Amino acid sequence: MKINRFFVVPAVVVAAQFSFAQVQTNSQEKLDPIVQSFVNEVNTNSQLENMAYELLDGIGPRLVGTPEMLAANEWTVQKLRSWDIEANLQQFGTWKGWQRGITHVDMIYPRVKTLSATQLAWSPSTKKAIEAEVIILPKVTTKAEFDKWLPSVKGKIVLIAQYQKIGRSDEQIKEFATPELYEKLKADKVKATKDFADYVKSIGYDNTLPEALEKAGAAGISISNWTGIMGANRIFGAKTTKIPMIDIDVEDYGMLYRMAENGQKPRIKVEVQSKILPEAKTFNTIGMIKGKEKPNEYVILSAHLDSWDGAQGATDNGTGVLTMLETMRILKKYYPNNKRTIVVGLWGSEEQGLNGSRGFVADNPEIIKGTQAAFNQDNGTGRVVNISGQGFVNSYDYIGKWLNAVPKNIKDQIKTDFPGMPGGGGSDHASFVAAGVPGFSLGSLNWGYFGYTWHTTKDTYDKIVFDEVKSNVILTATLAYMASEDPEFTNREKRAMPFDDKGQPTKWPDIKQPRRDSKDYK
């Protein structure tokens, strides 16, 4: 895919921004020559920042069912082929087609202010801007009372999220408040959260409130899915089919809430220009370097390509994709006689339930049968610090051996857990583990991932720490190389599962079928 470079950066800025800091290794350390070539390539010829620019700035967020997701699939295929790696798209289903447009929201009464807001994924558009009064949910205690109030939403925009009295992070409150005030504010927050949950339950619309408001004639719905970190809101999917559903940042949402609560009858103007598109095919990008001695045994490099689309999907999971692409590039360049076939799988629709990787497992039984190991990277920009044996009894024998080839400064950062417990979900390694395949999560140091960038409006290019990603490339390439070279096929014996807190035996995770389409998805 051709990416238009539409701005010019002064040379001094380029030099500062794109200087590649080396991944330091002990000069006295004797590495395997191929591993040393990986280190040298990452230090002198990294392609990570160029690829990040093309994927994250050029294509942007990659929501399943959107043209941008298809563009990302095509870009990854072309990138792999440019390195003389066999690559193609493997369809696993379809999804409702949609494309994000502009979101513009202004308060027009009692004063004028442009609000910070984002349309939720798959939300209907406004066609033309709508102007309406903003109202809050009624202070009632029963479903009957709520249903009596419900007709009053007609033509209004309804705020349905919990009001946040304080928009500061817990970390900041803890830093500056007295111990007594901190404990009080913490208790107040816990109580407010519980009270709101109890309220939603009492009105009888736990999971169907947006649908009820839409049916009653509301002009639009707003939430504020605040993470607790200042400036960061999570963006997921809309629960409406005819009226727009938007997320408003905590500060502006709180202002509207207080105005409505105090009878000021604020009005806002909402324009969202998304497009409903025809049903879209959903794909995984599959790249393959055929093995020279054992072509029917496989080492799989795994990362999900899709994202939510409140931002660029940089750390969830752009960094995982970049890691696996760069790893494939240097393996192709410096490991030409790979014994086993090395596969990269860049999955679609992970965010809706690991659908791409589950589809791959279901659709490729021969590859699954012959998989030596799968290495998955998903959770952020940080260096890998955790690897679990995922419940495979003998995982220490091979993971420990493979890790011994990793540069010491990288290996020493990693805490291992053997045999560990099998992953039941969370990311794509779980799809392989459920099928009895040694699938390992390369767990990263989070760099504020869960509070700040995970599915939020702040998951952007500037949050990537490229030096950390470079270390992960060296680690992943070394593990893939060692797994490919290992004379033994990995043992798949599973651990005896422990008892749970209730004294009942736990079970190995079941193989789950992928969701092949968006029918009934909510």
Side-chain angles (χ1 to χ4, degrees):
M1 166 173 277
K2 183 178 179 181
I3 305 297
N4 292 321
R5 298 176 181 271
F6 51 86
F7 57 84
V8 177
V9 183
V12 67
V13 176
V14 172
Q17 180 70 22
F18 293 98
S19 62
F20 299 127
Q22 289 196 345
V23 178
Q24 297 298 324
T25 57
N26 188 332
S27 60
Q28 304 301 315
E29 185 178 10
K30 186 68 174 176
L31 297 174
D32 179 291
I34 290 180
V35 175
Q36 185 64 60
S37 70
F38 298 160
V39 175
N40 295 344
E41 178 72 7
V42 167
N43 280 333
T44 62
N45 192 37
S46 170
Q47 302 299 302
L48 289 169
E49 293 192 25
N50 288 334
M51 288 194 292
Y53 168 76
E54 293 177 4
L55 177 63
L56 304 176
D57 288 341
I59 295 173
R62 302 162 303 281
L63 182 72
V64 61
T66 63
E68 290 76 18
M69 181 63 200
L70 179 58
N73 279 129
E74 293 172 342
W75 176 82
T76 52
V77 166
Q78 291 173 20
K79 189 62 67 176
L80 289 163
R81 289 176 179 171
S82 74
W83 303 323
D84 200 27
I85 294 171
E86 178 186 332
N88 60 76
L89 298 182
Q90 189 175 101
Q91 186 180 353
F92 62 89
T94 63
W95 205 263
K96 53 187 173 184
W98 187 80
Q99 187 170 37
R100 178 174 293 282
I102 65 165
T103 300
H104 196 97
V105 183
D106 298 305
M107 181 172 70
I108 55 176
Y109 178 84
R111 57 187 174 86
V112 174
K113 182 183 188 302
T114 295
L115 307 179
S116 182
T118 304
Q119 183 183 23
L120 298 187
W122 304 299
S123 170
S125 68
T126 53
K127 295 184 175 60
K128 63 178 182 178
I130 59 173
E131 297 181 13
E133 179 187 343
V134 174
I135 63 173
I136 62 175
L137 297 174
K139 292 178 171 56
V140 297
T141 58
T142 67
K143 185 177 185 301
E145 290 176 299
F146 185 84
D147 288 345
K148 185 177 180 180
W149 168 86
L150 201 51
S152 67
V153 307
K154 188 173 183 179
K156 309 289 199 321
I157 294 173
V158 189
L159 307 183
I160 67 169
Q162 179 186 344
Y163 169 65
Q164 301 290 340
K165 186 176 181 181
I166 297 178
R168 294 184 181 273
S169 67
D170 288 345
E171 183 180 62
Q172 193 176 84
I173 295 170
K174 188 173 185 178
E175 179 181 359
F176 294 108
T178 63
E180 295 80 11
L181 178 58
Y182 174 70
E183 291 301 324
K184 177 187 179 298
L185 294 178
K186 185 168 70 170
D188 288 348
K189 185 174 182 178
V190 169
K191 182 178 184 302
T193 300
K194 182 180 182 303
D195 288 348
F196 185 76
D198 290 344
Y199 168 80
V200 174
K201 187 176 181 179
S202 75
I203 63 175
Y205 291 96
D206 279 30
N207 300 310
T208 59
L209 182 56
E211 293 95 322
L213 295 170
E214 181 176 52
K215 186 176 180 180
I221 295 171
S222 175
I223 63 170
S224 184
N225 194 359
W226 184 49
T227 67
I229 302 294
M230 289 186 288
N233 277 36
R234 300 198 201 282
I235 303 299
F236 293 114
K239 305 297 183 183
T240 55
T241 59
K242 296 179 181 178
I243 62 173
M245 192 167 178
I246 59 174
D247 181 281
I248 299 178
D249 281 8
V250 66
E251 301 89 348
D252 288 339
Y253 187 92
M255 175 188 67
L256 291 172
Y257 188 98
R258 291 186 295 273
M259 287 178 171
E261 186 177 41
N262 284 283
Q264 216 165 357
K265 297 185 176 182
R267 295 181 65 83
I268 63 174
K269 180 179 180 180
V270 177
E271 182 180 11
V272 287
Q273 293 184 359
S274 57
K275 297 177 183 177
I276 304 297
L277 301 175
E279 192 84 359
K281 295 179 180 179
T282 53
F283 298 101
N284 294 320
T285 297
I286 306 298
M288 192 173 294
I289 307 173
K290 289 290 180 66
K292 310 310 183 289
E293 293 184 23
K294 300 181 178 182
N296 295 322
E297 294 183 13
Y298 303 86
V299 177
I300 298 178
L301 306 181
S302 166
H304 73 87
L305 180 58
D306 70 305
S307 73
W308 286 105
D309 73 332
Q312 292 170 299
T315 68
D316 186 22
N317 184 34
T319 44
V321 171
L322 296 171
T323 295
M324 297 309 166
L325 286 175
E326 182 77 335
T327 297
M328 289 292 283
R329 183 182 73 82
I330 66 176
L331 286 169
K332 178 68 176 179
K333 187 173 183 179
Y334 293 105
Y335 181 40
N337 296 312
N338 51 302
K339 287 186 178 179
R340 292 179 171 87
T341 297
I342 299 173
V343 176
V344 63
L346 305 176
W347 317 118
S349 194
E350 185 268 357
E351 299 293 4
Q352 290 70 46
L354 315 186
N355 294 319
S357 57
R358 284 174 176 165
F360 181 83
V361 169
D363 298 341
N364 296 274
E366 289 305 310
I367 292 179
I368 297 307
K369 179 182 177 182
T371 297
Q372 170 83 328
F375 301 105
N376 183 66
Q377 213 280 314
D378 185 5
N379 61 323
T381 190
R383 62 191 177 275
V384 172
V385 292
N386 290 293
I387 297 178
S388 164
Q390 295 296 324
F392 293 97
V393 171
N394 297 293
S395 54
Y396 171 78
D397 295 340
Y398 45 90
I399 289 288
K401 179 171 56 177
W402 301 341
L403 279 172
N404 282 336
V406 174
K408 188 174 186 299
N409 68 308
I410 296 174
K411 179 179 65 178
D412 286 353
Q413 301 285 331
I414 300 171
K415 179 181 178 182
T416 55
D417 176 24
F418 297 108
M421 288 290 288
S427 193
D428 294 294
H429 64 284
S431 300
F432 296 94
V433 171
V437 173
F440 303 105
S441 173
L442 306 180
S444 293
L445 191 69
N446 74 65
W447 281 81
Y449 173 73
F450 289 104
Y452 192 40
T453 62
W454 179 64
H455 300 167
T456 75
T457 51
K458 301 302 180 184
D459 193 9
T460 47
Y461 181 110
D462 57 296
K463 308 309 185 301
I464 298 176
V465 182
F466 282 99
D467 289 342
E468 299 273 76
V469 182
K470 289 177 186 178
S471 291
N472 294 345
V473 171
I474 294 170
L475 169 67
T476 307
T478 304
L479 290 173
Y481 162 57
M482 293 300 292
S484 173
E485 286 290 299
D486 198 319
E488 301 295 327
F489 190 71
T490 49
N491 185 288
R492 297 185 175 195
E493 182 182 351
K494 301 173 184 177
R495 66 168 293 169
M497 296 294 283
F499 292 90
D500 63 20
D501 294 341
K502 297 179 180 178
Q504 299 299 313
T506 55
K507 296 181 180 180
W508 194 269
D510 293 329
I511 296 177
K512 295 182 179 178
Q513 294 303 307
R515 185 186 290 272
R516 301 281 187 177
D517 58 50
S518 53
K519 183 181 179 182
D520 300 325
Y521 173 79
K522 293 183 179 180

